[in-house]
Amino acid sequence: MANVWSSKITFEKGELHLAGLSAKSLGREFGTPTFFLDEDDFRARATSWGSALTESFGAAAGSVYYAGKAFICTEVLRWVAQSGIGLDVCTGGELAVALAADFPVSKIQVHGNNKSVAEIRRAVEVGVGTIVVDSLIEIERIAEAAAAAKKVQAVLLRLTPGIEAHTHESIATAHEDVKFGFSIASGAAWQAVVAVRQHPEIELRGFHGHIGSQILSMDAFGIAADRLIEFLSLYRDEFGYELPELDLGGGYGISYLPEDEPLLPAQVLPALHRAVTTACAKYSLELPRISIEPGRAIVGPAMFTLYEVGTTKEVLLESGKTRNYISVDGGMSDNIRTSLYGAEYTTVIANRTSTAKVRESRVVGKHCETGDIVIRDIDLPEDLVPGDLLAVPATGAYGRSMASNYNHVPRPPVVAVKNGQARVIVRRETEADLLALDM
Ligand code: LLP
């Protein structure tokens, strides 16, 4: 049974505590819904991915790039920088947060399948370490931007190795029929190699592959590594030298439910090392420098969402059974993952113990939509009442970062907690914020 809670969560007399602060006191001070971020847990995960890469790969260790799309704000980026790892951004907006946080630009890697001319120019001008190229059109844009800035821009080519990873369709990325990358099988990848070599302003460092997200088994990563390394060998065969870098992307799964066994750095990096060394031996290549891009695995487990129960309602089902609908004060505006991907979560009553019988329940939000579900099916005590607090673990990745203002619900704050101290690092939106854009 994996633990769904971050490392500084404890339960004292049935009440959830984070780094010594009780759910009740946190709820009183910061309101609900709120994302609470376990700072020590986040920092430890960022550090352990970095050190596991170095331990497994030694001189062939490239960089861990934290995938900022999972969650970023300036404070969290300062922690990322302090942990020594790099950052993956995929839009100008994420790059702007990184620049505002004074993130070391040479450790930034820029992604995106439709980077605008302005985004590319800015990335080149500020001096990002790497741009991961996703289309032929982009190659011309990078060359122009680099020529204008009188720079040589380092790039990787994003390749689709043609793998079906076992995850939800919307978050699987490396089969053939997707918008990302250059397909190896169709010849597009080779075409991109030829195109990029036309430009002295661009330095091709190697290849990149990202096969999907929330993947709980290492098999697909090994197959992807083999295909990318085979492609590195084709490059060597044609041009007579080896490219020095390979980025294997992110996608390492976490436990949303106690039965999910997460992919942890101590297991992932040795497995990647085995796959990479085997493939390099097979194709007679030196080990390239290996980079990875975990997002969810660093921030996902580090946050939980605290909601307050507002209403409960018993609904008679066709089967003759009943279901208890528990409505909380957030929903699809702070966690769209249940409706979008059928994601599963668990929850506990955070403010007290209950010895009441459990009942089939559904935790729903406050939005004007039937699909506004936080947890579709869960057994919860039948004595849940308005005012009770529900804590939903593992909401750090793609929760706040995908939050919306649907129904004009202000987005929740993020509160960092460490050693008995809690501080707001992203404040709650207000009604004034909601009106601020109206002319
Ligand atoms: N690198 C690249 C190129 C990516 O596209 C992604 C995620 C990552 C790294 C980080 O993947 P992670 O380690 O976080 O799984 N909104 C979806 C996930 C979309 C992932 C998009 N790309 C969700 O809520 O599950």
Side-chain angles (χ1 to χ4, degrees):
M1 284 268 273
N3 191 357
V4 292
W5 299 100
S6 66
S7 60
K8 292 291 154 61
I9 295 277
T10 54
F11 290 89
E12 291 162 35
K13 298 198 185 99
E15 193 182 353
L16 180 144
H17 286 64
L18 172 53
L21 299 177
S22 74
K24 250 186 289 186
S25 68
L26 289 170
R28 243 192 331 264
E29 183 170 355
F30 299 102
T32 51
T34 291
F35 289 99
F36 288 100
L37 171 55
D38 181 338
E39 179 173 343
D40 285 337
D41 187 271
F42 180 99
R43 287 179 182 270
R45 284 179 206 274
T47 305
S48 68
W49 281 95
S51 50
L53 178 74
T54 314
E55 267 164 42
S56 283
F57 282 92
S63 182
V64 170
Y65 295 100
Y66 170 58
K69 67 208 80 179
F71 174 74
I72 50 172
C73 65
T74 46
E75 178 63 9
V76 156
L77 286 191
R78 286 188 276 272
W79 307 347
V80 173
Q82 284 160 13
S83 77
I85 66 173
L87 174 68
D88 140 16
V89 300
C90 67
T91 61
E94 289 181 359
L95 180 59
V97 180
L99 297 175
D102 278 330
F103 197 88
V105 274
S106 64
K107 289 184 168 180
I108 297 177
Q109 175 150 289
V110 178
H111 273 283
N113 68 298
N114 182 16
K115 306 175 190 76
S116 70
V117 171
E119 284 174 321
I120 289 173
R121 278 196 194 135
R122 188 178 194 194
V124 171
E125 277 163 18
V126 300
V128 299
T130 324
I131 297 181
V132 182
V133 176
D134 205 295
S135 70
L136 292 175
I137 291 170
E138 186 187 331
I139 294 175
E140 305 306 316
R141 292 179 183 168
I142 296 172
E144 278 167 33
K150 300 199 172 34
K151 287 183 173 177
V152 174
Q153 180 61 53
V155 305
L156 302 178
L157 294 180
R158 178 162 178 174
L159 307 184
T160 30
I163 316 274
E164 304 275 351
H166 296 287
T167 187
H168 189 276
E169 188 196 354
S170 308
I171 53 179
T173 52
H175 46 298
E176 292 295 328
D177 190 6
V178 289
K179 67 174 182 167
F180 293 110
F182 299 100
S183 138
I184 296 179
S186 73
W190 196 256
Q191 213 187 339
V193 164
V194 172
V196 97
R197 286 174 51 89
Q198 312 289 311
H199 297 285
E201 307 84 358
I202 301 181
E203 184 199 348
L204 177 62
R205 286 265 182 75
F207 304 123
H208 172 285
H210 170 80
I211 57 173
S213 209
Q214 183 54 17
I215 298 169
L216 292 169
S217 130
M218 284 305 294
D219 307 347
F221 290 102
I223 302 169
D226 181 84
R227 298 214 180 141
L228 294 167
I229 289 167
E230 179 182 19
F231 199 71
L232 280 172
S233 79
L234 298 180
Y235 187 98
R236 183 263 332 268
D237 295 347
E238 181 69 17
F239 301 112
Y241 67 96
E242 297 180 13
L243 292 172
E245 288 184 27
L246 182 61
D247 186 323
L248 296 171
Y252 310 106
I254 64 167
S255 2
Y256 286 97
L257 302 176
E259 57 265 35
D260 300 333
E261 285 302 331
L263 287 182
L264 298 173
Q267 169 195 2
V268 168
L269 276 311
L272 286 183
H273 185 257
R274 274 192 300 277
V276 167
T277 43
T278 306
C280 284
K282 179 164 147 198
Y283 302 108
S284 309
L285 279 178
E286 296 288 318
L287 241 56
R289 277 198 305 280
I290 299 295
S291 296
I292 54 168
E293 302 170 331
R296 187 191 316 265
I298 292 176
V299 70
M303 274 195 230
F304 74 90
T305 309
L306 192 67
Y307 296 105
E308 187 178 289
V309 174
T311 61
T312 66
K313 180 191 286 183
E314 189 177 277
V315 172
L316 182 62
L317 308 178
E318 270 175 25
S319 63
K321 291 206 271 186
T322 57
R323 192 193 319 273
N324 202 13
Y325 272 76
I326 317 283
S327 295
V328 296
D329 48 0
M332 66 194 298
S333 55
D334 58 74
N335 187 350
I336 189 72
R337 299 193 69 259
T338 307
S339 16
L340 202 52
Y341 315 119
E344 294 181 283
Y345 289 87
T346 186
T347 190
V348 295
I349 306 180
N351 53 305
R352 63 180 174 94
T353 29
S354 168
T355 50
K357 270 208 329 260
V358 295
R359 307 188 35 187
E360 250 178 66
S361 306
R362 179 163 291 169
V363 180
V364 296
K366 64 178 288 152
H367 293 275
C368 223
E369 186 160 329
T370 303
D372 172 28
I373 296 170
V374 180
I375 304 174
R376 180 170 288 278
D377 292 304
I378 185 166
D379 286 338
L380 286 174
E382 62 182 2
D383 66 349
L384 263 173
V385 286
D388 272 333
L389 298 175
L390 287 182
V392 177
T395 56
Y398 309 106
R400 182 62 178 76
S401 77
M402 292 176 83
S404 76
N405 290 126
Y406 185 38
N407 297 146
H408 274 56
V409 171
R411 288 177 297 174
V414 179
V415 174
V417 185
K418 179 184 167 75
N419 293 336
Q421 303 285 327
R423 67 201 162 106
V424 177
I425 59 171
V426 178
R427 73 160 168 80
R428 186 183 300 284
E429 269 177 339
T430 61
E431 286 181 1
D433 291 324
L434 296 179
L435 286 164
L437 303 182
D438 286 22
M439 303 301 283

